[in-house]
Amino acid sequence: MAVVIFVLVLWYGGLFFQSFFLHRYAAHQVFTMSKTMERITFVLTWIFQGSSYLSAYGYGVMHRMHHAYTDTEKDPHSPAYDDNLFSMMWRTKTVYQDINKERIAVDKRFTKNVPQWKSFDAFASSRFSRLLWIALYILF
């Protein structure tokens, strides 16, 4: 029973921070928060998303691009321009990582006021962090 509760708490916590922090705050700026609260929310997002952690910067920028270019060739995750679901998912992952690591030039309108905490994202997205979460899941 403890495992079921653990999974449910992580599942719904992850959904909450995906919706509240990544989508509504980072991508759409529906509300504001202090820098301290923003940092706390970064950490809570990492805790609840665990090994599936997504950066608010990478997610927010990519989501804004998706809205600007919906179902065109510039849409970072439209299934209309890929042969199958898996190639779309791979392209989405690649675009997200390129945005998050600033390997591609992105129009300033997509990056304006998107929260970014580079040092934390580097840690939270690292192999070490992901393996640590996997080890904790196994130990639990």
Side-chain angles (χ1 to χ4, degrees):
M1 187 58 160
V3 172
V4 172
I5 293 170
F6 178 72
V7 169
L8 288 174
V9 167
L10 288 182
W11 179 272
Y12 285 104
L15 284 173
F16 172 78
F17 284 101
Q18 171 81 25
S19 176
F20 171 78
F21 184 56
L22 300 179
H23 191 102
R24 286 178 176 78
Y25 181 71
H28 293 293
Q29 295 182 323
V30 173
F31 56 92
T32 60
M33 62 173 84
S34 69
K35 198 63 159 172
T36 301
M37 192 64 209
E38 186 178 280
R39 296 276 169 114
I40 290 168
T41 310
F42 264 98
V43 174
L44 289 172
T45 301
W46 175 68
I47 289 169
F48 283 97
Q49 288 186 341
S51 61
S52 300
Y53 173 79
L54 291 172
S55 160
Y57 181 80
Y59 180 93
V61 171
M62 188 169 77
H63 191 73
R64 289 176 182 187
M65 290 172 68
H66 166 68
H67 278 285
Y69 303 126
T70 304
D71 289 335
T72 68
E73 288 187 49
K74 290 184 174 183
D75 185 343
H77 60 102
S78 171
Y81 296 93
D82 292 296
D83 294 333
N84 57 61
L85 178 65
F86 297 106
S87 62
M88 183 214 52
M89 290 168 54
W90 190 263
R91 185 169 54 86
T92 299
K93 175 202 80 76
T94 303
V95 171
Y96 164 80
Q97 288 177 333
D98 287 346
I99 290 168
N100 199 41
K101 295 182 183 215
E102 299 178 322
R103 292 188 292 229
I104 60 172
V106 177
D107 191 314
K108 293 272 187 223
R109 68 185 166 138
F110 300 124
T111 62
K112 184 180 179 189
N113 297 325
V114 177
Q116 189 175 31
W117 188 4
K118 288 182 180 184
S119 60
F120 184 78
D121 277 344
F123 163 73
S125 300
S126 69
R127 277 208 174 106
F128 173 77
S129 172
R130 298 198 193 280
L131 290 172
L132 177 66
W133 279 115
I134 291 168
L136 289 172
Y137 298 150
I138 291 168
L139 291 172
F140 182 76

